[in-house]
Amino acid sequence: MMPFAVTTQGAQQPAPAQKQYGISSPISLAAPKDTDLELTQKLIETLQPFGVFEEEEELQRRILILQKLNNLVKEWIREISESRNLPQAVIENVGGKIFTFGSYRLGVHTKGADIDALCVAPRHVDRNDFFTSFYDKLKLQEEVKDLRAVEEAFVPVIKLCFDGIEIDILFARLALQTIPEDLDLRDDSLLKNLDIRCIRSLNGCRVTDEILHLVPNIDSFRLTLRAIKLWAKCHNIYSNILGFLGGVSWAMLVARTCQLYPNAIASTLVRKFFLVFSEWEWPNPVLLKEPEERNLNLPVWDPRVNPSDRYHLMPIITPAYPQQNSTYNVSVSTRMVMIEEFKQGLAITHEILLNKAEWSKLFEAPSFFQKYKHYIVLLASAPTEKQHLEWVGLVESKIRILVGSLEKNEFITLAHVNPQSFPAPKENVDKEDFRTMWVIGLVLKKPENSEILSIDLTYDIQSFTDTVYRQAINSKMFEMDMKIAAMHLRRKELHQLLPNHVLQKKETHLTESVRLTAGSDSSLLLSVDSENGISAPSPTGTMKTGPLSGNPQGRHSPVLAVMTASVTNIQFPEVSLQHVSPIESSGIALGESIPPIPSPPTISPPPKPTMTRVVSSTHLVNHPSRPSGNTATNIPNPILGI
């Protein structure tokens, strides 16, 4: 039987009380009450309009497509086996199989979602065969569209659209002569003698299968996870690449909640989810099972051994060997935002329990564009659609580097990037180009004993764009007219770039006023003032980066970012800042199936702009040094957890 998940919400069967799930005893074994059943039914009804449940007809269509794909794999492997003159007895039983992982395997995929799949082959079929003969076989299928191979990716993949369903297919070659139908990928012995790319490809299936085996009630887990994933997407905290959490991380948090409340159903589990993780003592790791050593010499997450692991801010550890931290991208700001969202979710679910609110309130989008007074807007543009897709992907993957740099500034309390990107208006209506933008909200901290604060962010922006261009050049992706621009907009100016339906939100959270001004060369400064401070006219600060014509280094050498700005220091009597709890140290990237960012080639950096603290209109008192990095958080016992 193929491992295809079927999503149903059946009768709840409480798990046996004597069995312990996870690394600790459950918090509560209470069975659901009538009110819990009613609230769960209301939750299902609330989720329906959001398209989180797939119709049975569509589900059967997916199963049929995967069966066709599975038959193609078997046919292809048999052909390879015959071409290599294997014995007929081996050919008859050679096998080969398509496994699924991710949201589809977990049973929480939404309407129109793609499918993550893994092609498992025996030892005489190699990766080159997968990207040549199997690719050619797929090309001959009339149902297959948009076929493309990404062979040089960290986890090599073939992408395609099969009869209208997007599918990503990874490849793993096992050290087996044949692939049996009942193969269990959770068997750690399968990892012996495999190359690292096969181990990475297997990781998704192994983690997904392990999660499903570690939860007490799969139906309750699935419904809870559907609700939490929808909530995270509505609240703009669903993005691994930008430093929030991705699908597997949300799944593990929900699975841990299910372990702590093994007999609870979805309405209770959603509330307990917010309770547990709003109070969680980060950076203590979230673990679904005790880590086990398999002596296969593979790198695993272990802060007792790996110093870099001690810097991870919000570790959520995958349950399958080799254990990895799935949240290596989380930063001080993104963790701060997520914890605040956990607390708000807890408050809302408490209101729902008391019949003071409906479930729909939990899924209301927050007012990101009303929450802050000032924003940095990043804009990526390219002349063709194909170049734009590649360029946007690269820029987005590096935004967290800029956020991390901003966080190290002693006067920036929070740099909150909205994971949702937006199309940007064209700069020149007569010239065809493709433009995408991201928005970062800022919270500044008033310095002690001072009336004026000027923050120069030129170096931060310049370092970010330098990193993006360097990566584009090294990967031979860069083309002329691929550009990055950075600009400042106050809240009341956002309408210049964003449509009204995006900006119109219910809530308003005022933080502080920040002024960014433009004028002279090579500096980007923020000046803080109050609502009643002296106003000064200043055009929007804009930075554009890109290659200049006549560059002696050639067309593939972009000029580093140069921001034009002038200093306007504005005095203010007092600034009222929104209270933010102190957060522990920042982190170092290291995570599941994704390599740490390689150190860039050595180049001469641009001059480091000064950051000045002004205490009067005429006296400059000091030049604070830029923090060199984050200090490690002491973890007395790194394998602790509730």
Side-chain angles (χ1 to χ4, degrees):
M1 180 178 177
M2 296 178 67
F4 304 146
V6 179
T7 307
T8 59
Q9 180 65 25
Q12 302 295 332
Q13 299 294 329
Q18 65 272 15
K19 182 172 181 179
Q20 176 179 308
Y21 292 88
I23 65 172
S24 63
S25 300
I27 293 176
S28 172
L29 294 172
K33 301 176 182 178
D34 290 343
T35 53
D36 299 324
L37 295 170
E38 292 172 7
L39 283 172
T40 297
Q41 184 57 40
K42 289 181 179 179
L43 175 60
I44 294 172
E45 294 169 0
T46 303
L47 292 175
Q48 289 281 2
F50 288 96
V52 300
F53 299 109
E54 193 171 46
E55 299 294 337
E56 183 65 25
E57 181 181 352
E58 182 68 15
L59 180 60
Q60 292 302 320
R61 179 164 162 261
R62 287 177 183 268
I63 292 175
L64 181 60
I65 287 172
L66 286 168
Q67 287 174 342
K68 290 181 179 179
L69 195 57
N70 193 59
N71 291 335
L72 278 176
V73 166
K74 291 181 183 295
E75 184 181 304
W76 165 65
I77 291 177
R78 185 184 177 95
E79 292 169 356
I80 293 287
S81 304
E82 290 174 346
S83 70
R84 290 177 183 164
N85 299 318
L86 267 65
Q88 190 63 33
V90 174
I91 294 174
E92 292 295 332
N93 299 291
V94 70
K97 194 169 183 178
I98 284 287
F99 291 85
T100 59
F101 61 99
S103 63
Y104 180 78
R105 176 70 181 102
L106 287 172
V108 296
H109 61 286
T110 58
K111 291 180 180 178
D114 61 0
I115 297 176
D116 296 311
L118 170 69
C119 172
V120 176
R123 62 194 180 197
H124 60 274
V125 180
D126 60 30
R127 190 175 302 276
N128 184 60
D129 296 322
F130 178 71
F131 282 102
T132 54
S133 58
F134 185 63
Y135 181 89
D136 292 339
K137 195 173 188 68
L138 289 171
K139 194 185 300 183
L140 297 175
Q141 309 305 310
E142 61 180 14
E143 303 100 327
V144 173
K145 309 292 182 185
D146 301 327
L147 181 66
R148 54 209 184 277
V150 191
E151 193 170 355
E152 301 306 318
F154 185 67
V155 182
V157 61
I158 289 178
K159 294 175 173 287
L160 68 148
C161 183
F162 198 111
D163 196 18
I165 301 294
E166 294 285 341
I167 304 177
D168 291 350
I169 311 176
L170 310 183
F171 175 81
R173 168 196 187 189
L174 301 184
L176 301 174
Q177 189 176 40
T178 62
I179 303 299
E181 280 297 307
D182 61 351
L183 180 66
D184 185 356
L185 295 181
R186 293 188 303 141
D187 183 356
D188 292 334
S189 66
L190 294 175
L191 301 180
K192 292 180 180 178
N193 304 316
L194 297 190
D195 69 47
I196 190 63
R197 288 177 298 178
C198 286
I199 292 173
R200 290 173 189 153
S201 297
L202 285 166
N203 192 54
C205 286
R206 285 168 53 80
V207 168
T208 305
D209 288 355
E210 199 69 60
I211 290 173
L212 290 173
H213 279 83
L214 290 170
V215 295
N217 185 304
I218 292 180
D219 283 344
S220 293
F221 164 75
R222 285 173 172 163
L223 182 54
T224 305
L225 181 54
R226 286 184 188 278
I228 293 301
K229 288 181 67 173
L230 176 61
W231 165 81
K233 290 175 181 178
C234 289
H235 286 251
N236 289 317
I237 54 175
Y238 191 106
S239 175
N240 177 63
I241 199 169
L242 288 175
F244 295 101
L245 304 189
V248 70
S249 299
W250 290 116
M252 287 189 286
L253 292 187
V254 171
R256 186 68 186 118
T257 307
C258 292
Q259 291 178 338
L260 294 171
Y261 301 89
N263 297 332
I265 58 176
S267 59
T268 302
L269 289 169
V270 170
R271 188 169 70 254
K272 297 302 185 183
F273 171 90
F274 293 121
L275 174 63
V276 170
F277 295 109
S278 62
E279 300 294 334
W280 192 273
E281 295 183 357
W282 306 106
N284 285 323
V286 175
L287 298 162
L288 297 182
K289 60 184 286 190
E290 290 287 356
E292 298 172 347
E293 178 52 55
R294 295 305 185 197
N295 297 318
L296 295 178
N297 296 320
L298 295 174
V300 298
W301 185 87
D302 189 345
R304 297 168 300 184
V305 176
N306 308 315
S308 61
D309 291 348
R310 301 169 195 165
Y311 291 83
H312 292 179
L313 291 177
M314 203 173 180
I316 302 172
I317 310 306
T318 56
Y321 179 85
Q323 299 85 7
Q324 299 293 314
N325 176 21
S326 66
T327 59
Y328 58 93
N329 280 344
V330 170
S331 69
V332 171
S333 289
T334 55
R335 184 176 71 170
M336 192 184 301
V337 170
M338 285 187 283
I339 290 174
E340 184 61 31
E341 291 290 353
F342 291 153
K343 292 177 179 178
Q344 292 180 10
L346 178 61
I348 292 172
T349 52
H350 184 66
E351 291 180 8
I352 294 170
L353 180 64
L354 299 177
N355 289 321
K356 294 182 178 180
E358 300 295 330
W359 280 111
S360 57
K361 184 175 181 179
L362 186 64
F363 306 112
E364 291 177 357
S367 53
F368 178 83
F369 297 107
Q370 300 296 324
K371 189 172 185 179
Y372 308 103
K373 284 192 174 181
H374 290 249
Y375 298 83
I376 290 177
V377 177
L378 296 176
L379 190 149
S381 61
T384 70
E385 186 173 10
K386 182 177 182 297
Q387 292 175 2
H388 176 253
L389 286 174
E390 294 179 334
W391 186 233
V392 163
L394 176 60
V395 173
E396 185 176 52
S397 71
K398 303 300 179 185
I399 289 177
R400 60 186 175 86
I401 297 175
L402 173 60
V403 171
S405 181
L406 295 174
E407 288 173 346
K408 294 176 184 177
N409 189 307
E410 65 175 310
F411 299 120
I412 296 180
T413 303
L414 182 74
H416 180 186
V417 58
N418 188 333
Q420 185 178 0
S421 61
F422 302 91
K426 286 190 175 184
E427 186 176 31
N428 186 342
V429 293
D430 298 326
K431 181 180 179 182
E432 184 178 21
D433 64 349
F434 298 84
R435 298 154 66 85
T436 296
M437 59 186 174
W438 299 264
V439 185
I440 303 173
L442 294 179
V443 175
L444 297 195
K445 179 171 59 177
K446 178 189 173 184
E448 296 179 1
N449 304 320
S450 66
E451 295 183 354
I452 297 176
L453 169 64
S454 295
I455 305 175
D456 192 338
L457 299 180
T458 307
Y459 181 82
D460 302 296
I461 302 290
Q462 201 167 36
S463 297
F464 163 70
T465 55
D466 182 23
T467 299
V468 174
Y469 278 120
R470 184 189 293 112
Q471 178 78 27
I473 293 170
N474 290 345
S475 62
K476 299 180 180 179
M477 186 189 80
F478 180 77
E479 297 290 345
M480 186 65 74
D481 292 329
M482 285 182 171
K483 298 176 183 177
I484 310 173
M487 66 193 76
H488 163 261
L489 290 177
R490 288 174 288 186
R491 183 172 59 220
K492 63 183 180 181
E493 297 169 331
L494 288 173
H495 70 276
Q496 297 173 10
L497 294 178
L498 294 165
N500 288 333
H501 74 272
V502 173
L503 300 177
Q504 290 173 352
K505 301 296 180 183
K506 294 180 180 178
E507 302 171 357
T508 300
H509 301 285
L510 299 183
T511 52
E512 84 286 358
S513 176
V514 184
R515 185 170 302 283
L516 181 64
T517 59
S520 63
D521 290 341
S522 300
S523 62
L524 168 61
L525 288 105
L526 294 170
S527 297
V528 178
D529 63 11
S530 69
E531 284 289 346
N532 300 320
I534 302 171
S535 61
S538 62
T540 299
T542 305
M543 176 184 69
K544 294 183 180 179
T545 66
L548 296 180
S549 58
N551 190 331
Q553 295 179 341
R555 68 186 294 264
H556 292 298
S557 297
V559 173
L560 295 181
V562 176
M563 175 75 77
T564 61
S566 66
V567 182
T568 304
N569 292 327
I570 303 175
Q571 299 185 13
F572 59 93
E574 190 66 35
V575 174
S576 177
L577 292 179
Q578 183 177 0
H579 174 70
V580 182
S581 301
I583 295 297
E584 293 93 352
S585 59
S586 183
I588 295 176
L590 183 66
E592 166 206 352
S593 297
I594 298 180
I597 298 172
S599 300
T602 303
I603 64 169
S604 300
K608 179 178 176 181
T610 60
M611 184 196 318
T612 61
R613 179 185 297 169
V614 184
V615 294
S616 73
S617 59
T618 57
H619 295 88
L620 191 64
V621 292
N622 65 342
H623 300 264
S625 60
R626 185 182 186 84
S628 59
N630 301 310
T631 56
T633 302
N634 294 324
I635 309 176
N637 184 353
I639 310 298
L640 282 179
I642 291 181

